[in-house]
């Protein structure tokens, strides 16, 4: 199969699948074993060991992830944070500087705020939509540029093509966290990003039942990330790898349903008199709408909004919703709702950022019937 010419729905089912699979199985099996025999005298590169990510079920998943992101290679990790920290460790050495754009997932910000100094790294936070801030942050020691495809929780879409170009022209490794957009909506390697990482705990797996991460890139860069992961011990357990490979089969269907639900809810909220503000890049009123429409095939499952009436109204609304769980993750088949300023996932970067106020509500659309979600929001807003 020529992956480059295949539509995403087909790629999600068949991309990177060995044909035939072992024993002719339609589903690639779980090899739970930790170690595999290798020929005497073979090199260390031929060692197949679970922590090295070279167990066959792990390798199968790597091929699937690479196919979906349109990359040469991929490596799966024990969590999204293992993917981000693995990538940063592969790109930065002591004395190096990182440019990081956006309000950021709290865990990523916390890692930088708490660990960068002891690792000898420095970093500057810049505005993903304002290239002047990138130029001002650039130093001779700058080695990498980190951005999120859709920022969390303010739901902004930065000048992603500009970031990849800027990084290339200054010899920086460009890194993007594509968790919010997913490869269904946006494939960052196609605009020149060197490394793409994911919390596969979210939409890639989609069923809120494993922790996992993924990194894609060139063979050389993935070898470097894999070597960091094996040194720190961050590979993905084969059973979770199997579940993630299974989740990927329905990725296109799930994400397209989530895109549609999120857009419908965003439009409904935007027209409701008890809602003060809605942020979703699918709305024509969103400041990044045109850029997102040009870059993305869909606008993602997440939106944030503020009800009229401040924090009291926001708390009451979250309690009144019957379908979404009040939980702070995203990307699963079930809708979730959270107040980022009150949730554990908000780090100092987001908490201090302009706009992440107490009354901000984040909604992650699941795959429920659109009419049921709209009816639920209607009753909660009336209450
Ligand atoms: C955008 C983003 N990146 C990374 C992570 C970290 O992922 P994990 O919880 O799988 O470590 C999260 C978690 O919420 C996230 O939202």
């Amino acid at each position: 199969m020529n992956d480059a010419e295949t539509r995403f729905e087909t790629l999600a089912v068949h991309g990177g699948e060995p044909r035939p699979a072992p024993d002719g199985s339609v589903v690639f099996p779980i090899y739970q074993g930790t170690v595999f025999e290798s020929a005497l005298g073979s090199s260390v590169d031929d060692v197949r060991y679970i922590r090295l990510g070279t167990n066959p079920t792990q390798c199968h998943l790597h091929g699937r992830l690479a196919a979906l992101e349109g990359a040469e290679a991929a490596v799966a990790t024990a969590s999204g944070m293992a993917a981000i920290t693995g990538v940063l460790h592969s790109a930065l050495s002591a004395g190096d500087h990182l440019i990081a754009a956006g309000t950021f997932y709290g865990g990523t910000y916390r890692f930088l705020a708490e660990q960068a100094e002891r690792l000898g790294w420095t970093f500057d936070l810049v505005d993903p939509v304002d290239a002047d801030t990138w130029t001002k942050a650039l130093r001779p020691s700058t080695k990498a540029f980190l951005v999120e495809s859709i920022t969390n929780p303010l739901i902004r879409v930065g000048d992603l093509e500009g970031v990849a170009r800027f990084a290339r022209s200054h010899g920086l490794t460009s890194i993007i966290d594509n968790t919010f957009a997913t490869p269904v909506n946006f494939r960052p390697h196609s605009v020149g990003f060197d490394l793409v990482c994911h919390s596969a705990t979210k939409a890639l797996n989609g069923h809120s039942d494993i922790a996992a991460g993924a990194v894609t890139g060139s063979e050389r860069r993935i070898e470097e990330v894999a070597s960091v992961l094996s040194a720190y011990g961050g590979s993905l357990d084969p059973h979770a790898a199997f579940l993630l490979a299974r989740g990927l089969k329905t990725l296109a269907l799930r994400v397209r349903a989530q895109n549609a639900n999120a857009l419908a809810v965003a439009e409904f909220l935007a027209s409701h008199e008890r809602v003060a503000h809605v942020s979703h890049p699918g709305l024509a009123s969103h400041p990044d709408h045109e850029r997102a429409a040009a870059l993305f095939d869909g606008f993602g499952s997440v939106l944030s909004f503020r009800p009229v009436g401040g924090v009291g109204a926001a708390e009451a609304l979250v309690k009144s919703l019957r379908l979404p769980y009040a939980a702070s993750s995203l990307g699963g088949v079930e809708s979730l709702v959270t107040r980022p300023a009150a949730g554990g996932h908000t780090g100092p970067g987001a908490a201090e950022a302009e706009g992440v106020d107490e009354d901000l509500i984040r909604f992650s659309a699941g795959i429920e019937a659109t009419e049921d979600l709209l009816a639920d929001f209607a009753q909660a807003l009336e209450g």
Side-chain angles (χ1 to χ4, degrees):
M1 191 177 69
N2 180 352
D3 289 350
E5 289 171 9
T6 306
R7 288 174 184 80
F8 200 90
E9 281 75 2
T10 310
L11 205 55
V13 177
H14 295 290
E17 288 290 0
R19 299 280 284 264
D23 295 319
S25 173
V26 170
V27 174
F28 195 89
I30 311 178
Y31 290 87
Q32 193 62 53
T34 56
V35 70
F36 295 78
E37 280 191 319
S38 45
L40 281 178
S42 56
S43 92
V44 68
D45 292 337
D46 296 326
V47 172
R48 289 194 295 161
Y49 180 61
I50 197 163
R51 198 191 73 252
L52 305 180
T54 49
N55 156 304
T57 300
Q58 294 169 320
C59 293
H60 165 252
L61 174 62
H62 297 162
R64 300 273 293 125
L65 291 166
L68 266 59
E69 277 291 8
E72 265 175 32
V75 64
T77 63
S79 67
M81 284 314 299
I84 288 166
T85 56
V87 159
L88 291 176
H89 274 279
S90 80
L92 300 171
S93 302
D96 288 346
H97 173 252
L98 168 77
I99 298 179
T103 46
F104 276 105
Y105 166 60
T108 305
Y109 182 83
R110 262 195 303 278
F111 169 71
L112 288 172
E114 290 169 10
Q115 307 296 330
E117 194 178 340
R118 54 201 295 196
L119 292 164
W121 309 344
T122 49
F123 68 96
D124 278 303
L125 293 179
V126 299
D127 186 338
V129 298
D130 181 359
D132 285 346
T133 64
W134 317 343
T135 310
K136 282 191 195 121
L138 196 66
R139 303 183 194 171
S141 58
T142 308
K143 290 287 159 45
F145 197 137
L146 172 68
V147 68
E148 292 178 336
S149 52
I150 302 177
T151 71
N152 177 24
L154 295 179
I155 323 297
R156 296 294 307 264
V157 179
D159 177 4
L160 303 176
E161 284 176 303
V163 168
R165 252 194 326 270
F166 179 89
R168 180 131 311 166
S169 67
H170 295 285
L172 319 179
T173 302
S174 51
I175 305 163
I176 186 163
D177 180 336
N178 198 28
T179 302
F180 270 55
T182 83
V184 180
N185 292 328
F186 179 49
R187 289 156 301 281
H189 292 301
S190 70
V191 302
F193 276 92
D194 296 316
L195 286 166
V196 178
C197 52
H198 281 276
S199 168
T201 312
K202 313 293 192 270
L204 292 192
N205 178 57
H207 294 78
S208 310
D209 53 10
I210 59 164
V215 186
T216 60
S218 66
E219 296 273 5
R220 178 183 64 80
R221 288 186 189 274
I222 293 303
E223 252 174 49
E224 288 167 3
V225 177
S227 140
V228 170
L229 285 167
S230 72
Y232 282 89
S235 69
L236 184 66
D237 172 76
H239 189 250
F242 169 82
L243 288 174
L244 175 50
R246 180 167 75 163
L248 291 177
K249 298 271 180 183
T250 54
L251 180 67
L253 293 177
R254 287 186 283 103
V255 171
R256 293 205 204 291
Q258 290 171 316
N259 285 342
N261 275 347
L263 187 57
V265 170
E267 282 168 348
F268 173 79
L269 293 175
S271 66
H272 201 287
E273 59 188 11
R274 295 198 179 169
V275 175
H277 181 255
V278 186
S279 183
H280 182 65
L283 295 178
S285 58
H286 189 281
D288 308 323
H289 174 69
E290 278 179 26
R291 184 171 30 240
L295 270 181
F296 294 172
D297 295 333
F299 298 106
S301 64
V302 185
L303 59 101
S304 59
F305 68 101
R306 280 195 186 83
V308 171
V311 59
E315 277 173 342
L317 184 63
V318 169
K319 281 198 192 113
S320 308
L321 285 165
R322 293 175 190 147
L323 278 180
Y325 291 90
S328 66
S329 192
L330 62 123
V333 292
E334 56 289 294
S335 291
L336 303 179
V337 66
T338 184
R339 281 195 310 115
H345 273 238
T346 304
E352 283 161 10
E354 206 181 321
V356 187
D357 299 325
E358 287 283 326
D359 61 347
L360 188 76
I361 298 176
R362 190 182 80 183
F363 174 69
S364 166
I367 61 168
E368 299 92 343
T370 313
E371 298 75 7
D372 292 339
L373 287 173
L374 296 182
D376 195 20
F377 273 96
Q379 69 75 26
L381 282 160
E382 290 314 314

